[in-house]
Amino acid sequence: MIEMTVRQLARARMAAAMGDVQGLRDALLELAGEEPMVVLLAQAMILLDQGRSAAALQLLQAMPALEGGAGRQALVAKSEALIAVERPAEAVQLLQAALRDRARATPEFLATLARGLFQSGELSLAERLLESILEVVPHHEESLYGMGVVRLMQGRVEAALTQLQAAQRLNPRRREPYQAMARAWRMLGRPAEGAAQLETLMADNDLVTSPGLARELVELYAAIGAVDGRVRWLRRLEATAQLGPGHRVELGRHWMALSRVGELRRLIIGLGEPPPERAAAYLLAGMAAEVEQEPAQALAYYRAARQTAPELWFADERLAQLMIELGATEAQTRPYVESAEARAPQTSAVQLLRALFDAARGAAGADAALRRIATHPGVRVEERVRARRALER
């Protein structure tokens, strides 16, 4: 009974991924005959596969506890949803508590625990756990994918690519390995090869594009300087993503780099009165003003965005960069630099901002930081260009 339920859940997920409506209906009907609550679990897992993690987590949290194989699947799905909504520490706690039941310690369960660990920054623990799984099950797809991501985070990019390609071959319709492979090719400084291979693999496997995968292809084409490819995938990203305020600002960064004022203004349409939406509208208007070489107007828009939603690090980052370029004093610029660093210290945009700030005040080590940014293939191409220009000055 348990194995039958697990197989039916896998059938339902596969049918949903393939767009097989009749197959999905049949699988759900069979599950309903076993246990009506398992149908909700199948729906939650399908939402996860579609990238709708918050909705999946809400459904899973509302469900009563399930027994046997379905219970293990529900626990893993809930952990995956927590990880996807950037709550990996909660996922780790959930899985570690469940490990007291030895019967739960399946490879799938342990691989999900490892995923929570590496997303919480516990790389060495995750690595040891994944190695122990792969010693027993060498072709375990989730563990190969997890090991690839760990290697990527460790900077061992060639090894990461090997693991990710193995995971992709085992499950050609899963989108996550493709996304990580794209990052690996960019970090290796081989974006053209990465874009070509990804496009081929996606076409061969009839892969449905996700927002995350579209973003990675946009970055690959940006690194190559291929405007047509970048625009094509920006259009795909607009079509696949739910265009909330954050997504619009992310798209705006790319349209700004391409000097597309019309596209920036189009992204403003539909934004309403809630503070995050108004702040996004101000940010997009500021980007358009920068493209049109109206720095005073851009500064006014960025200040309005900061006042509307002070938590947005991007407003601080744009304000500081523009002020540095306009020759503002250290005292005028410092508050925005430090505010951006406090909110997003690991982003390459903020690291570039700090290097530009240090260079403007003649601080030691600024040139070395700029050179690192200017030559690192994993950094956004626009940020590399800005760093090179700063070095030339």
Side-chain angles (χ1 to χ4, degrees), residues 198-221:
L198 280 177
E199 294 264 21
T200 301
L201 286 168
M202 290 168 68
D204 288 349
N205 295 297
D206 194 25
L207 191 73
V208 178
T209 304
S210 68
L213 186 49
R215 285 187 194 96
E216 292 297 341
L217 278 153
V218 166
E219 294 292 348
L220 283 172
Y221 281 113

PDB file of all heavy atoms in Angstrom, residues 198-221:
ATOM      1  N   LEU A 198      22.689  24.640 -22.989  1.00  0.00           N
ATOM      2  CA  LEU A 198      21.398  24.703 -22.309  1.00  0.00           C
ATOM      3  C   LEU A 198      20.247  24.786 -23.301  1.00  0.00           C
ATOM      4  O   LEU A 198      19.228  24.117 -23.141  1.00  0.00           O
ATOM      5  CB  LEU A 198      21.358  25.909 -21.368  1.00  0.00           C
ATOM      6  CG  LEU A 198      22.041  25.737 -20.022  1.00  0.00           C
ATOM      7  CD1 LEU A 198      21.975  27.026 -19.228  1.00  0.00           C
ATOM      8  CD2 LEU A 198      21.385  24.625 -19.216  1.00  0.00           C
ATOM      9  N   GLU A 199      20.406  25.621 -24.313  1.00  0.00           N
ATOM     10  CA  GLU A 199      19.342  25.739 -25.326  1.00  0.00           C
ATOM     11  C   GLU A 199      19.093  24.380 -25.987  1.00  0.00           C
ATOM     12  O   GLU A 199      17.945  23.970 -26.201  1.00  0.00           O
ATOM     13  CB  GLU A 199      19.732  26.774 -26.383  1.00  0.00           C
ATOM     14  CG  GLU A 199      19.820  28.200 -25.862  1.00  0.00           C
ATOM     15  CD  GLU A 199      18.543  28.995 -26.094  1.00  0.00           C
ATOM     16  OE1 GLU A 199      17.479  28.384 -26.288  1.00  0.00           O
ATOM     17  OE2 GLU A 199      18.624  30.241 -26.051  1.00  0.00           O
ATOM     18  N   THR A 200      20.165  23.651 -26.317  1.00  0.00           N
ATOM     19  CA  THR A 200      20.022  22.340 -26.952  1.00  0.00           C
ATOM     20  C   THR A 200      19.343  21.343 -26.020  1.00  0.00           C
ATOM     21  O   THR A 200      18.409  20.634 -26.411  1.00  0.00           O
ATOM     22  CB  THR A 200      21.397  21.803 -27.378  1.00  0.00           C
ATOM     23  OG1 THR A 200      21.994  22.726 -28.290  1.00  0.00           O
ATOM     24  CG2 THR A 200      21.285  20.440 -28.053  1.00  0.00           C
ATOM     25  N   LEU A 201      19.834  21.263 -24.779  1.00  0.00           N
ATOM     26  CA  LEU A 201      19.262  20.323 -23.815  1.00  0.00           C
ATOM     27  C   LEU A 201      17.792  20.615 -23.559  1.00  0.00           C
ATOM     28  O   LEU A 201      16.962  19.703 -23.471  1.00  0.00           O
ATOM     29  CB  LEU A 201      20.041  20.379 -22.505  1.00  0.00           C
ATOM     30  CG  LEU A 201      21.422  19.731 -22.493  1.00  0.00           C
ATOM     31  CD1 LEU A 201      22.179  20.109 -21.235  1.00  0.00           C
ATOM     32  CD2 LEU A 201      21.302  18.214 -22.600  1.00  0.00           C
ATOM     33  N   MET A 202      17.447  21.895 -23.429  1.00  0.00           N
ATOM     34  CA  MET A 202      16.057  22.262 -23.161  1.00  0.00           C
ATOM     35  C   MET A 202      15.158  21.887 -24.335  1.00  0.00           C
ATOM     36  O   MET A 202      14.043  21.406 -24.154  1.00  0.00           O
ATOM     37  CB  MET A 202      15.964  23.751 -22.865  1.00  0.00           C
ATOM     38  CG  MET A 202      16.581  24.138 -21.526  1.00  0.00           C
ATOM     39  SD  MET A 202      16.775  25.913 -21.329  1.00  0.00           S
ATOM     40  CE  MET A 202      15.045  26.404 -21.237  1.00  0.00           C
ATOM     41  N   ALA A 203      15.651  22.103 -25.554  1.00  0.00           N
ATOM     42  CA  ALA A 203      14.856  21.741 -26.739  1.00  0.00           C
ATOM     43  C   ALA A 203      14.716  20.223 -26.851  1.00  0.00           C
ATOM     44  O   ALA A 203      13.623  19.708 -27.117  1.00  0.00           O
ATOM     45  CB  ALA A 203      15.514  22.311 -27.991  1.00  0.00           C
ATOM     46  N   ASP A 204      15.808  19.489 -26.617  1.00  0.00           N
ATOM     47  CA  ASP A 204      15.771  18.023 -26.731  1.00  0.00           C
ATOM     48  C   ASP A 204      14.809  17.404 -25.721  1.00  0.00           C
ATOM     49  O   ASP A 204      14.180  16.380 -25.996  1.00  0.00           O
ATOM     50  CB  ASP A 204      17.175  17.437 -26.512  1.00  0.00           C
ATOM     51  CG  ASP A 204      18.109  17.722 -27.680  1.00  0.00           C
ATOM     52  OD1 ASP A 204      17.620  18.175 -28.726  1.00  0.00           O
ATOM     53  OD2 ASP A 204      19.320  17.512 -27.520  1.00  0.00           O
ATOM     54  N   ASN A 205      14.702  18.004 -24.539  1.00  0.00           N
ATOM     55  CA  ASN A 205      13.879  17.438 -23.468  1.00  0.00           C
ATOM     56  C   ASN A 205      12.538  18.142 -23.308  1.00  0.00           C
ATOM     57  O   ASN A 205      11.803  17.868 -22.367  1.00  0.00           O
ATOM     58  CB  ASN A 205      14.653  17.483 -22.147  1.00  0.00           C
ATOM     59  CG  ASN A 205      15.877  16.594 -22.178  1.00  0.00           C
ATOM     60  OD1 ASN A 205      15.761  15.379 -22.313  1.00  0.00           O
ATOM     61  ND2 ASN A 205      17.056  17.184 -22.087  1.00  0.00           N
ATOM     62  N   ASP A 206      12.233  19.056 -24.264  1.00  0.00           N
ATOM     63  CA  ASP A 206      10.947  19.764 -24.239  1.00  0.00           C
ATOM     64  C   ASP A 206      10.699  20.369 -22.862  1.00  0.00           C
ATOM     65  O   ASP A 206       9.613  20.251 -22.294  1.00  0.00           O
ATOM     66  CB  ASP A 206       9.816  18.804 -24.626  1.00  0.00           C
ATOM     67  CG  ASP A 206       8.520  19.556 -24.958  1.00  0.00           C
ATOM     68  OD1 ASP A 206       8.628  20.733 -25.341  1.00  0.00           O
ATOM     69  OD2 ASP A 206       7.429  18.983 -24.798  1.00  0.00           O
ATOM     70  N   LEU A 207      11.734  21.005 -22.320  1.00  0.00           N
ATOM     71  CA  LEU A 207      11.677  21.504 -20.947  1.00  0.00           C
ATOM     72  C   LEU A 207      10.861  22.789 -20.879  1.00  0.00           C
ATOM     73  O   LEU A 207      11.072  23.713 -21.673  1.00  0.00           O
ATOM     74  CB  LEU A 207      13.088  21.771 -20.422  1.00  0.00           C
ATOM     75  CG  LEU A 207      13.201  22.053 -18.930  1.00  0.00           C
ATOM     76  CD1 LEU A 207      12.980  20.773 -18.125  1.00  0.00           C
ATOM     77  CD2 LEU A 207      14.566  22.631 -18.609  1.00  0.00           C
ATOM     78  N   VAL A 208       9.935  22.853 -19.934  1.00  0.00           N
ATOM     79  CA  VAL A 208       9.146  24.060 -19.715  1.00  0.00           C
ATOM     80  C   VAL A 208      10.012  25.055 -18.934  1.00  0.00           C
ATOM     81  O   VAL A 208      10.599  24.718 -17.913  1.00  0.00           O
ATOM     82  CB  VAL A 208       7.855  23.742 -18.931  1.00  0.00           C
ATOM     83  CG1 VAL A 208       7.061  25.015 -18.666  1.00  0.00           C
ATOM     84  CG2 VAL A 208       7.007  22.727 -19.702  1.00  0.00           C
ATOM     85  N   THR A 209      10.082  26.289 -19.421  1.00  0.00           N
ATOM     86  CA  THR A 209      10.943  27.291 -18.787  1.00  0.00           C
ATOM     87  C   THR A 209      10.375  27.728 -17.446  1.00  0.00           C
ATOM     88  O   THR A 209       9.181  27.932 -17.308  1.00  0.00           O
ATOM     89  CB  THR A 209      11.060  28.522 -19.707  1.00  0.00           C
ATOM     90  OG1 THR A 209      11.531  28.095 -20.974  1.00  0.00           O
ATOM     91  CG2 THR A 209      12.030  29.536 -19.135  1.00  0.00           C
ATOM     92  N   SER A 210      11.257  27.872 -16.466  1.00  0.00           N
ATOM     93  CA  SER A 210      10.886  28.447 -15.175  1.00  0.00           C
ATOM     94  C   SER A 210      11.504  29.841 -15.084  1.00  0.00           C
ATOM     95  O   SER A 210      12.458  30.151 -15.811  1.00  0.00           O
ATOM     96  CB  SER A 210      11.421  27.584 -14.043  1.00  0.00           C
ATOM     97  OG  SER A 210      12.840  27.654 -14.010  1.00  0.00           O
ATOM     98  N   PRO A 211      10.994  30.701 -14.182  1.00  0.00           N
ATOM     99  CA  PRO A 211      11.622  32.017 -14.029  1.00  0.00           C
ATOM    100  C   PRO A 211      13.105  31.938 -13.685  1.00  0.00           C
ATOM    101  O   PRO A 211      13.907  32.694 -14.229  1.00  0.00           O
ATOM    102  CB  PRO A 211      10.812  32.643 -12.882  1.00  0.00           C
ATOM    103  CG  PRO A 211       9.482  31.984 -12.956  1.00  0.00           C
ATOM    104  CD  PRO A 211       9.762  30.573 -13.391  1.00  0.00           C
ATOM    105  N   GLY A 212      13.479  30.996 -12.795  1.00  0.00           N
ATOM    106  CA  GLY A 212      14.880  30.877 -12.412  1.00  0.00           C
ATOM    107  C   GLY A 212      15.774  30.529 -13.581  1.00  0.00           C
ATOM    108  O   GLY A 212      16.876  31.071 -13.743  1.00  0.00           O
ATOM    109  N   LEU A 213      15.321  29.608 -14.419  1.00  0.00           N
ATOM    110  CA  LEU A 213      16.110  29.198 -15.586  1.00  0.00           C
ATOM    111  C   LEU A 213      16.201  30.342 -16.601  1.00  0.00           C
ATOM    112  O   LEU A 213      17.257  30.581 -17.197  1.00  0.00           O
ATOM    113  CB  LEU A 213      15.478  27.957 -16.213  1.00  0.00           C
ATOM    114  CG  LEU A 213      16.234  27.286 -17.349  1.00  0.00           C
ATOM    115  CD1 LEU A 213      17.697  27.065 -17.000  1.00  0.00           C
ATOM    116  CD2 LEU A 213      15.565  25.961 -17.703  1.00  0.00           C
ATOM    117  N   ALA A 214      15.090  31.048 -16.795  1.00  0.00           N
ATOM    118  CA  ALA A 214      15.111  32.187 -17.715  1.00  0.00           C
ATOM    119  C   ALA A 214      16.102  33.251 -17.242  1.00  0.00           C
ATOM    120  O   ALA A 214      16.847  33.829 -18.044  1.00  0.00           O
ATOM    121  CB  ALA A 214      13.708  32.790 -17.843  1.00  0.00           C
ATOM    122  N   ARG A 215      16.147  33.491 -15.915  1.00  0.00           N
ATOM    123  CA  ARG A 215      17.100  34.471 -15.374  1.00  0.00           C
ATOM    124  C   ARG A 215      18.539  34.079 -15.685  1.00  0.00           C
ATOM    125  O   ARG A 215      19.366  34.918 -16.047  1.00  0.00           O
ATOM    126  CB  ARG A 215      16.945  34.577 -13.858  1.00  0.00           C
ATOM    127  CG  ARG A 215      15.728  35.336 -13.395  1.00  0.00           C
ATOM    128  CD  ARG A 215      15.745  35.535 -11.884  1.00  0.00           C
ATOM    129  NE  ARG A 215      14.445  35.954 -11.429  1.00  0.00           N
ATOM    130  CZ  ARG A 215      13.502  35.142 -10.942  1.00  0.00           C
ATOM    131  NH1 ARG A 215      13.754  33.854 -10.806  1.00  0.00           N
ATOM    132  NH2 ARG A 215      12.340  35.607 -10.559  1.00  0.00           N
ATOM    133  N   GLU A 216      18.840  32.783 -15.512  1.00  0.00           N
ATOM    134  CA  GLU A 216      20.216  32.333 -15.757  1.00  0.00           C
ATOM    135  C   GLU A 216      20.595  32.492 -17.227  1.00  0.00           C
ATOM    136  O   GLU A 216      21.725  32.864 -17.545  1.00  0.00           O
ATOM    137  CB  GLU A 216      20.374  30.877 -15.313  1.00  0.00           C
ATOM    138  CG  GLU A 216      20.272  30.657 -13.814  1.00  0.00           C
ATOM    139  CD  GLU A 216      21.365  31.361 -13.028  1.00  0.00           C
ATOM    140  OE1 GLU A 216      22.404  31.734 -13.619  1.00  0.00           O
ATOM    141  OE2 GLU A 216      21.187  31.554 -11.811  1.00  0.00           O
ATOM    142  N   LEU A 217      19.657  32.231 -18.129  1.00  0.00           N
ATOM    143  CA  LEU A 217      19.961  32.401 -19.555  1.00  0.00           C
ATOM    144  C   LEU A 217      20.117  33.875 -19.910  1.00  0.00           C
ATOM    145  O   LEU A 217      20.953  34.229 -20.744  1.00  0.00           O
ATOM    146  CB  LEU A 217      18.877  31.731 -20.404  1.00  0.00           C
ATOM    147  CG  LEU A 217      19.132  30.220 -20.533  1.00  0.00           C
ATOM    148  CD1 LEU A 217      17.845  29.445 -20.751  1.00  0.00           C
ATOM    149  CD2 LEU A 217      20.113  29.928 -21.653  1.00  0.00           C
ATOM    150  N   VAL A 218      19.332  34.741 -19.274  1.00  0.00           N
ATOM    151  CA  VAL A 218      19.521  36.179 -19.473  1.00  0.00           C
ATOM    152  C   VAL A 218      20.949  36.568 -19.092  1.00  0.00           C
ATOM    153  O   VAL A 218      21.631  37.303 -19.822  1.00  0.00           O
ATOM    154  CB  VAL A 218      18.497  36.981 -18.632  1.00  0.00           C
ATOM    155  CG1 VAL A 218      18.896  38.457 -18.571  1.00  0.00           C
ATOM    156  CG2 VAL A 218      17.097  36.851 -19.225  1.00  0.00           C
ATOM    157  N   GLU A 219      21.426  36.053 -17.941  1.00  0.00           N
ATOM    158  CA  GLU A 219      22.777  36.390 -17.473  1.00  0.00           C
ATOM    159  C   GLU A 219      23.851  35.832 -18.413  1.00  0.00           C
ATOM    160  O   GLU A 219      24.870  36.484 -18.664  1.00  0.00           O
ATOM    161  CB  GLU A 219      22.994  35.863 -16.051  1.00  0.00           C
ATOM    162  CG  GLU A 219      22.121  36.521 -14.991  1.00  0.00           C
ATOM    163  CD  GLU A 219      22.463  37.979 -14.756  1.00  0.00           C
ATOM    164  OE1 GLU A 219      23.502  38.453 -15.229  1.00  0.00           O
ATOM    165  OE2 GLU A 219      21.667  38.658 -14.086  1.00  0.00           O
ATOM    166  N   LEU A 220      23.624  34.618 -18.931  1.00  0.00           N
ATOM    167  CA  LEU A 220      24.594  34.040 -19.866  1.00  0.00           C
ATOM    168  C   LEU A 220      24.711  34.895 -21.126  1.00  0.00           C
ATOM    169  O   LEU A 220      25.811  35.203 -21.590  1.00  0.00           O
ATOM    170  CB  LEU A 220      24.196  32.611 -20.243  1.00  0.00           C
ATOM    171  CG  LEU A 220      24.481  31.522 -19.201  1.00  0.00           C
ATOM    172  CD1 LEU A 220      23.860  30.206 -19.645  1.00  0.00           C
ATOM    173  CD2 LEU A 220      25.984  31.337 -18.993  1.00  0.00           C
ATOM    174  N   TYR A 221      23.567  35.284 -21.691  1.00  0.00           N
ATOM    175  CA  TYR A 221      23.606  36.097 -22.913  1.00  0.00           C
ATOM    176  C   TYR A 221      24.152  37.495 -22.639  1.00  0.00           C
ATOM    177  O   TYR A 221      24.791  38.096 -23.502  1.00  0.00           O
ATOM    178  CB  TYR A 221      22.223  36.151 -23.557  1.00  0.00           C
ATOM    179  CG  TYR A 221      21.900  34.896 -24.335  1.00  0.00           C
ATOM    180  CD1 TYR A 221      20.896  34.030 -23.937  1.00  0.00           C
ATOM    181  CD2 TYR A 221      22.641  34.567 -25.474  1.00  0.00           C
ATOM    182  CE1 TYR A 221      20.625  32.869 -24.645  1.00  0.00           C
ATOM    183  CE2 TYR A 221      22.382  33.414 -26.194  1.00  0.00           C
ATOM    184  CZ  TYR A 221      21.371  32.562 -25.775  1.00  0.00           C
ATOM    185  OH  TYR A 221      21.118  31.406 -26.480  1.00  0.00           O
TER     186      TYR A 221
END
